[in-house]
Amino acid sequence: MTEVRMSEDDPVAVARELAAFRRSALLFSSDRPRMIDQYESRWVAVLDGEVRADAEDFEALLSLIDSRGISRQRVLVRHIQRDQRTLIL
């Protein structure tokens, strides 16, 4: 898998990456009811505001992400549960 690197000196690329991250984060928070209905008890990978992969377990999701050539550094991953848990690490 080819790693895509973003130059910290390129403000346009940084802004583009931040916008993509924001779209992905918003999908998890603003579209939560639909996410629960469609992906409850599954691991979900979101990139640029779109679900790109889902699986029953974390390892299977990582394999699917890799097989689809999705960058692990840019994808947001979350386990979808009806009862949300907060972990403090």
Side-chain angles (χ1 to χ4, degrees):
M1 178 168 66
T2 305
E3 183 61 36
V4 177
R5 296 202 179 261
M6 177 179 63
S7 171
E8 294 175 4
D9 297 330
D10 184 355
V12 174
V14 171
R16 191 176 319 122
E17 286 294 320
L18 287 173
F21 178 85
R22 182 177 186 274
R23 284 189 293 274
S24 295
L26 282 173
L27 180 67
F28 280 129
S29 61
S30 66
D31 208 11
R32 188 170 183 272
R34 184 189 67 80
M35 295 289 283
I36 290 171
D37 289 343
Q38 192 167 355
Y39 301 105
E40 186 173 9
S41 299
R42 295 185 66 79
W43 286 91
V44 176
V46 173
L47 180 64
D48 197 19
E50 294 181 23
V51 174
R52 301 294 175 100
D54 67 283
E56 288 184 19
D57 63 69
F58 185 70
E59 292 299 323
L61 182 67
L62 291 180
S63 294
L64 196 52
I65 288 169
D66 292 343
S67 72
R68 293 181 180 176
I70 299 168
S71 170
R72 287 188 183 188
Q73 291 181 331
R74 290 185 169 68
V75 71
L76 295 182
V77 174
R78 186 169 184 182
H79 188 258
I80 305 299
Q81 300 174 231
R82 189 164 303 279
D83 297 323
Q84 211 169 8
R85 297 180 190 165
T86 301
L87 300 176
I88 301 173
L89 305 173

